[in-house]
Amino acid sequence: AQTVTQSQPEMSVQEAETVTLSCTYDTSESDYYLFWYKQPPSRQMILVIRQEAYKQQNATENRFSVNFQKAAKSFSLKISDSQLGDAAMYFCAYRRYGGATNKLIFGTGTLLAVQP
Amino acid sequence: DVKVTQSSRYLVKRTGEKVFLECVQDMDHENMFWYRQDPGLGLRLIYFSYDVKMKEKGDIPEGYSVSREKKERFSLILESASTNQTSMYLCASSSPPKGTEAFFGQGTRLTVV
């Protein structure tokens, strides 16, 4: 069975600084998707970034980028120029490629605080 | 703008009551999911449905059932609510194989007293 592990329950960063959130996963599949979701205090889950496992290039969305290491099964999220609005719970998630019934498997989350 | 709507943001129920949590999506998605979110445990899948009247158990189905009579609506049912079912419940939908992203509702915080 696939599993997703986030080993940092809480992180803190100064405004305008850079922070990296860690995620590791376990799977025997070769094709899959990885995601980072953000859940602010409003509770609305928002997709931050997505990575396809067959793509070697790391995904980037504005200030958010990932370091995808397929062999190490590692998928970290880097937030550059942190802003107060980045304060939220961040979840790493895995989904197997293909199929009609594939589900998202989540890690336990990292609570990010942004200090002014 | 895509939308997944859960019927209540906050709900308080008594032990032993039958509880219905409703979720509606307007994106014509085939897949719908119910997750439970608890501190330190992340999101755990209760049930999911890949088509009307089709369902599969997730990781923690005990004490729950689901209903999907129409494509846009997915209901989570607590047959006899217990205090250990006090939690945040999140509904999500997606549309494989093209759509890998799941869209979430705003969550229902259920308290069973």
Side-chain angles (χ1 to χ4, degrees), chain A residues 37 39 43-44 50 100 104, chain B residues 31 35 37 88 100 102 104 107:
Chain A
Y37 279 86
Q39 187 183 43
R43 304 190 327 221
Q44 183 66 56
R50 167 176 51 216
L104 272 174
Chain B
N31 286 9
Y35 287 90
Q37 181 179 1
M88 172 77 76
T100 57
F104 284 82

Side-chain angles (χ1 to χ4, degrees), chain A residues 35-79:
Chain A
F35 307 84
W36 279 100
Y37 279 86
K38 170 185 177 181
Q39 187 183 43
S42 68
R43 304 190 327 221
Q44 183 66 56
M45 293 279 277
I46 303 163
L47 179 67
V48 174
I49 201 164
R50 167 176 51 216
Q51 175 79 43
E52 290 90 344
Y54 62 87
K55 289 187 178 178
Q56 294 188 342
Q57 186 173 6
N58 288 327
T60 299
E61 289 287 342
N62 301 314
R63 298 182 294 107
F64 298 87
S65 61
V66 298
N67 184 5
F68 173 50
Q69 302 288 328
K70 191 172 183 180
K73 295 180 182 173
S74 170
F75 182 62
S76 60
L77 175 69
K78 185 171 85 171
I79 306 174

Side-chain angles (χ1 to χ4, degrees), chain B residues 60-109:
Chain B
I60 52 164
E62 297 77 20
Y64 304 94
S65 62
V66 291
S67 171
R68 190 158 181 212
E69 296 296 319
K70 292 185 177 181
K71 191 175 185 180
E72 67 270 18
R73 186 180 297 269
F74 191 36
S75 303
L76 180 69
I77 304 158
L78 287 66
E79 296 290 343
S80 178
S82 64
T83 55
N84 62 14
Q85 293 178 309
T86 292
S87 186
M88 172 77 76
Y89 291 88
L90 290 168
C91 175
S93 73
S94 69
S95 183
K98 285 183 275 188
T100 57
E101 177 184 355
F103 296 87
F104 284 82
Q106 77 277 29
T108 296
R109 188 174 296 282

Side-chain angles (χ1 to χ4, degrees), chain A residues 13-16 84 113-116:
Chain A
V13 64
Q14 292 290 130
E15 202 174 0
L84 295 177
V114 180
Q115 308 298 330

